[in-house]
Amino acid sequence: MKRDFLFICSLFFFLGTIADLQAQPARKLVNVVVTPDHADWKYSAKENVTFDIQVYKDNVLMKNVSVDYELGPEVFPTEKKQGVTLKDGKLTLKSSMKEPGFLRCKVTAKVDGNNYEEMATVGYDVEKIQPATANPADFDEFWSGAIAEARKTPLNPRMTLIPEKCTSTQNVYEVSFQNDRYGSYMYGILVTPKAPGKYPAILRVPGAGIRPYGGGSMGEGIISLEIGIHGIPVTMPQEVYNNLNAGALIGYPRINMNDRNIHYYKRVYSGCVRAVDFIYSLPEFDGSTVGVTGGSQGGALSIITAGLDPRIKFLAAYYPALCDFAGYLNNRAGGWPHYFRDSKPQPNEVETLPYFDVVNFARRVKAPGWYSWGFNDVTCPPTSMYAAYNVIPGNKELNLYLNTGHWTYPEQTAAGNDWLRKQCKK
């Protein structure tokens, strides 16, 4: 348990210091190339996949380089080898899967005392992946009651202009509004057009961690509201967030995960709906056109908000977290924060978490959605994301960038933003 706790600490420190949508990793001196024999990285059950492995330095194929490799279902490799020499500069591996899911080949090359890692993860019958997480019979009753109870608390919105962030065409505010009880506030950064008129809006929900937010425009003629989820102002000095990350809010996804009424994410999810309430209170809002977007935890919150609130007209979600926690209880990968990967369930946890699992909100998403991820994501395994995506009943499009992990290419982010802007013009 101590190792689990330390892992959670280090994970949240890492997540808290990166942007919601990570930049493409820098190029390396030595490049390991793992290539499957299907261009779309997809296979049918029992079909063999062949991985070709090569190592390059200065774009020249290296010979006699030593590699370690792992091969098998993501998170659960069944074959591990160390010190394999690529005598002619190449290595070929073969494997297969009988059930829907993902199979991963991870290779580490050892060159001049340094390790260089790469992987390729292929999907088997990915459209057939279904959630392992239960769908509670009273799920809708629980959440409709939670939202109704939260709305008994008046929003009491506050807006403070941030002059140094304003432009010739947009005003920028730090805002707050009450959430699920008196004195419990959500905070964020609001961007509104200066020109008189009625405008569409996009709610931007955050990735994991504790940090400040700067807002940012989603485009001319669009209201943008970026929120934090922890009930603290989003413009404090970085030291404050570092202290909370290492102190009171450490490992926050696991706080009270054995009680659906006080689990940490209950006020987070209700707060996302209250953020939509806040948008509807704005005189600049057109009264109808509102979408939501985010990556990782933000991808999860995008699906959750759309599943809870029918006022959401569209969403764009990147590599959503919090999907299908029960995967680990069924010998397959579950989503971040990997509740049961390294520890067994404690009393009431298995009964509580389905009320907060993305797959059960995904079942209720009717708004059109743009979704995007890669097969090499180890933070949010693709099996968990497909478990949610496959049960979404609304119009949906999945934009795969196969080689990406828990990050996006600039072109990928641009495509998502372009899609959102088009929805705002409909």
Side-chain angles (χ1 to χ4, degrees):
M1 293 298 293
K2 182 178 180 181
R3 285 189 299 176
D4 295 343
F5 182 77
L6 292 174
F7 169 78
I8 296 166
C9 296
S10 61
L11 174 63
F12 273 91
F13 177 79
F14 172 74
L15 289 172
T17 57
I18 57 176
D20 290 350
L21 300 180
Q22 292 89 340
Q24 181 180 355
R27 291 178 63 89
K28 299 176 182 178
L29 174 64
V30 174
N31 291 299
V32 182
V33 180
V34 184
T35 308
D37 56 346
H38 284 192
D40 63 358
W41 294 27
K42 293 182 179 180
Y43 296 79
S44 300
K46 300 181 182 180
E47 183 179 5
N48 282 332
V49 54
T50 299
F51 294 102
D52 290 327
I53 299 164
Q54 299 169 299
V55 182
Y56 291 85
K57 182 178 180 181
D58 297 326
N59 293 332
V60 177
L61 184 67
M62 299 185 68
K63 298 182 178 181
N64 299 314
V65 64
S66 178
V67 302
D68 302 338
Y69 72 82
E70 297 180 357
L71 184 63
E74 56 176 346
V75 184
F76 300 101
T78 54
E79 181 180 347
K80 297 183 181 182
K81 293 288 180 67
Q82 295 184 330
V84 179
T85 301
L86 279 58
K87 294 182 180 179
D88 60 353
K90 298 181 180 181
L91 174 65
T92 298
L93 300 174
K94 292 185 178 182
S95 190
S96 66
M97 289 184 70
K98 297 179 180 180
E99 304 292 337
F102 282 83
L103 188 146
R104 175 166 293 156
C105 179
K106 184 172 73 172
V107 180
T108 303
K110 301 177 180 180
V111 180
D112 299 329
N114 296 309
N115 291 337
Y116 300 90
E117 182 181 289
E118 189 53 82
M119 68 180 69
T121 310
V122 299
Y124 275 81
D125 290 335
V126 297
E127 293 80 9
K128 297 180 181 179
I129 295 172
Q130 290 295 303
T133 301
N135 182 18
D138 63 343
F139 183 91
D140 295 311
E141 179 183 357
F142 172 75
W143 279 109
S144 61
I147 299 304
E149 185 65 26
R151 283 180 170 151
K152 292 179 181 178
T153 302
L155 277 176
N156 190 25
R158 302 168 182 172
M159 298 174 55
T160 302
L161 189 69
I162 310 176
E164 63 272 20
K165 287 185 173 288
C166 297
T167 70
S168 60
T169 59
Q170 293 178 320
N171 283 324
V172 181
Y173 303 87
E174 181 175 14
V175 302
S176 64
F177 47 89
Q178 286 193 128
N179 181 5
D180 58 341
R181 60 183 181 273
Y182 283 92
S184 175
Y185 279 85
M186 300 288 286
Y187 292 82
I189 302 294
L190 175 70
V191 180
T192 63
K194 283 186 174 180
K198 299 291 185 178
Y199 299 97
I202 295 176
L203 173 63
R204 298 170 60 189
V205 283
I210 303 99
R211 58 187 175 277
Y213 294 96
S217 173
M218 289 299 297
E220 295 292 328
I222 298 175
I223 297 168
S224 173
L225 173 61
E226 180 179 37
I227 61 169
I229 63 168
H230 300 297
I232 54 176
V234 296
T235 58
M236 297 184 293
Q238 182 64 50
E239 181 182 9
V240 176
Y241 304 102
N242 292 344
N243 290 339
L244 288 169
N245 185 67
L249 294 181
I250 191 169
Y252 66 82
R254 297 174 183 263
I255 294 176
N256 295 325
M257 58 187 272
N258 62 344
D259 188 335
R260 67 180 187 173
N261 293 309
I262 57 174
H263 179 39
Y264 191 86
Y265 274 119
K266 185 174 183 240
R267 66 165 301 278
V268 174
Y269 295 3
S270 67
C272 290
V273 174
R274 301 310 310 270
V276 181
D277 291 346
F278 173 77
I279 289 172
Y280 265 76
S281 76
L282 297 172
E284 302 93 340
F285 179 53
D286 69 11
S288 175
T289 313
V290 58
V292 60
T293 187
S296 192
Q297 178 186 260
L301 294 176
S302 297
I303 296 171
I304 289 161
T305 306
L308 282 175
D309 196 331
R311 294 175 299 177
I312 294 294
K313 297 299 190 296
F314 54 89
L315 69 150
Y318 301 83
Y319 40 77
L322 293 159
C323 294
D324 206 27
F325 79 92
Y328 287 111
L329 303 179
N330 291 267
N331 298 313
R332 76 180 198 195
W336 179 93
H338 310 286
Y339 285 118
F340 303 129
R341 182 178 61 185
D342 301 310
S343 60
K344 295 181 180 180
Q346 299 300 304
N348 298 322
E349 291 177 347
V350 173
E351 294 75 20
T352 296
L353 292 177
Y355 293 92
F356 302 91
D357 197 302
V358 167
V359 300
N360 288 328
F361 296 91
R363 298 180 196 274
R364 294 156 170 87
V365 172
K366 297 179 181 179
W370 187 97
Y371 303 84
S372 188
W373 56 72
F375 285 4
N376 284 339
D377 199 326
V378 298
T379 303
C380 296
T383 298
S384 69
M385 295 187 285
Y386 269 98
Y389 180 80
N390 286 345
V391 298
I392 293 172
N395 293 332
K396 56 190 177 184
E397 58 177 276
L398 178 55
N399 299 265
L400 294 172
Y401 290 75
L402 297 170
N403 197 44
T404 59
H406 207 60
W407 48 271
T408 58
Y409 289 112
E411 297 90 340
Q412 185 178 1
T413 304
N417 287 338
D418 287 345
W419 185 88
L420 286 167
R421 295 186 188 104
K422 289 178 181 178
Q423 305 311 303
C424 287
K425 294 179 181 179
K426 289 184 177 181

